[in-house]
Amino acid sequence: MNRLLLFTLLLVACKQKPVEQLPTTAEKEAVEQDTIAVSDIHRTDSHSLWIWEYKNPYVEGYIINQDYVIYQEENTRKIIKPDMASFAILESGLAKDKNGIYYQGDLIKIDITGFRVVGVISHYDKQSDYWEEPIWRTYKKAFRGTKQINISDPATFDSVTTCYFEDKNYLYYYDQKVEGADVATLQKNLANEEFVSDKNNTYYQGKPFIYKGEQVQQVSNLIYKTTTHVLRYNGGYDKERAEDYFVELPDYFDIPTLRRLNDFYL
């Protein structure tokens, strides 16, 4: 009988929830006192970008407060007063409100309908200083950072590669029009960064690529040809000349009939 009573009491005790302990007045005050408004994000350590190291006091970005916004980067800070109800952070140093687009804290007053970032330009000002400048557009205008660029039809302005862009009328190397390019026949699916082709030419850094005095046509992702030579694209970066990206193949091709079957066969 005593054992049965003890077992029953243990079951009841196990089902009871532990009493929740409320924070004391001192603990509540400590929590309230430890909560502070953040007005900037201060860098206190060394941050590495790829293999380079830099030390700057501020982390880049926008910081939204109740009635103003701070933009900060490296060694500078800007206090701006946008329309807080419509302010929103975008990308690549950009933000927006009902009045326009902000780049690095500077307002470009513009109708933002159709806003889109179509690419970025990478800058290496020195070994430890890398930054990106956005190329963006609305339906009516196009910009490189805060600078308006001359695009014939901003509403159709879009990227082809990281270096080339197009609208319905022209091909552009970053923000410069590529003279003579036929945008209707661009081989966008075969483009290789600095190299892009149309029905007439292959372009390198916005200029026609001439190999041993001849125009170059792209055959496939990696194969190009002139009237007398077949070239294989080897890739790479920062080479001095366009031809340094290619290897000349032996002359066992019938060049006039050479064409692409798929990514692997000609």
Side-chain angles (χ1 to χ4, degrees), residues 164 173 192 194-196 202-210 238-243 245-246:
Y164 289 95
Y173 181 69
N192 289 305
E194 297 277 1
F195 294 89
V196 66
T202 294
Y203 303 92
Y204 172 68
Q205 295 184 347
K207 305 293 183 183
F209 172 31
I210 304 298
D238 298 328
K239 296 185 179 181
E240 291 186 6
R241 305 173 303 166
E243 51 265 41
Y245 289 88
F246 295 86

Side-chain angles (χ1 to χ4, degrees), residues 1-262:
M1 183 67 179
N2 290 336
R3 290 182 179 178
L4 180 58
L5 179 60
L6 178 60
F7 181 74
T8 303
L9 290 173
L10 288 172
L11 286 177
V12 172
C14 290
K15 291 182 180 179
Q16 290 180 343
K17 294 182 179 180
V19 178
E20 183 179 356
Q21 293 186 352
L22 299 175
T24 65
T25 302
E27 288 172 335
K28 288 181 180 179
E29 291 176 353
V31 171
E32 292 172 354
Q33 290 172 357
D34 290 342
T35 303
I36 59 173
V38 176
S39 60
D40 65 62
I41 304 174
H42 189 80
R43 184 187 299 280
T44 57
D45 63 341
S46 233
H47 185 74
S48 62
L49 177 64
W50 296 101
I51 61 172
W52 304 319
E53 293 186 351
Y54 61 91
K55 293 183 179 180
N56 294 311
Y58 297 118
V59 177
E60 181 181 355
Y62 291 90
I63 304 165
I64 301 175
N65 292 274
Q66 184 173 355
D67 56 359
Y68 67 96
V69 173
I70 294 173
Y71 177 79
Q72 58 180 37
E73 61 170 337
E74 298 184 354
N75 298 306
T76 61
R77 297 175 72 230
K78 298 176 183 178
I79 296 177
I80 60 177
K81 294 196 174 183
D83 177 71
M84 299 301 297
S86 60
F87 184 79
I89 299 171
L90 301 171
E91 58 182 294
S92 302
L94 296 162
K96 68 176 182 178
D97 69 6
K98 68 177 184 178
N99 300 310
I101 298 294
Y102 295 83
Y103 176 58
Q104 294 182 340
D106 295 327
L107 174 63
I108 301 101
K109 292 185 177 181
I110 189 174
D111 178 0
I112 66 174
T113 305
F115 169 84
R116 184 178 178 185
V117 176
V118 297
V120 295
I121 302 175
S122 299
H123 294 274
Y124 298 87
D125 291 343
K126 54 185 179 180
Q127 188 180 30
S128 60
D129 191 3
Y130 167 83
W131 60 284
E132 293 181 341
E133 183 181 22
I135 296 178
W136 58 278
R137 53 89 160 167
T138 66
Y139 282 154
K140 295 182 178 180
K141 295 181 180 181
F143 290 82
R144 174 176 171 171
T146 57
K147 176 188 175 184
Q148 186 174 347
I149 55 179
N150 186 22
I151 302 299
S152 71
D153 189 63
T156 60
F157 188 52
D158 207 348
S159 62
V160 177
T161 71
T162 57
C163 308
Y164 289 95
F165 301 83
E166 66 172 345
D167 63 18
K168 69 177 184 179
N169 300 312
Y170 300 109
L171 175 69
Y172 303 86
Y173 181 69
Y174 293 112
D175 56 346
Q176 300 299 312
K177 185 168 73 172
V178 179
E179 297 295 339
D182 181 27
V183 71
T185 62
L186 281 179
Q187 296 176 294
K188 293 184 282 189
N189 60 322
L190 301 180
N192 289 305
E193 296 302 330
E194 297 277 1
F195 294 89
V196 66
S197 302
D198 62 16
K199 67 178 182 178
N200 300 315
N201 290 297
T202 294
Y203 303 92
Y204 172 68
Q205 295 184 347
K207 305 293 183 183
F209 172 31
I210 304 298
Y211 184 80
K212 294 185 176 179
E214 295 183 308
Q215 292 179 319
V216 178
Q217 291 183 318
Q218 188 169 10
V219 179
S220 69
N221 297 68
L222 301 178
I223 302 299
Y224 296 70
K225 70 177 183 178
T226 69
T227 58
T228 56
H229 297 93
V230 178
L231 310 172
R232 185 184 70 212
Y233 177 72
N234 265 4
Y237 298 95
D238 298 328
K239 296 185 179 181
E240 291 186 6
R241 305 173 303 166
E243 51 265 41
D244 294 338
Y245 289 88
F246 295 86
V247 173
E248 190 174 303
L249 297 180
D251 58 356
Y252 46 67
F253 298 96
D254 180 58
I255 295 177
T257 61
L258 182 64
R259 64 185 181 90
R260 174 183 180 272
L261 297 178
N262 56 39

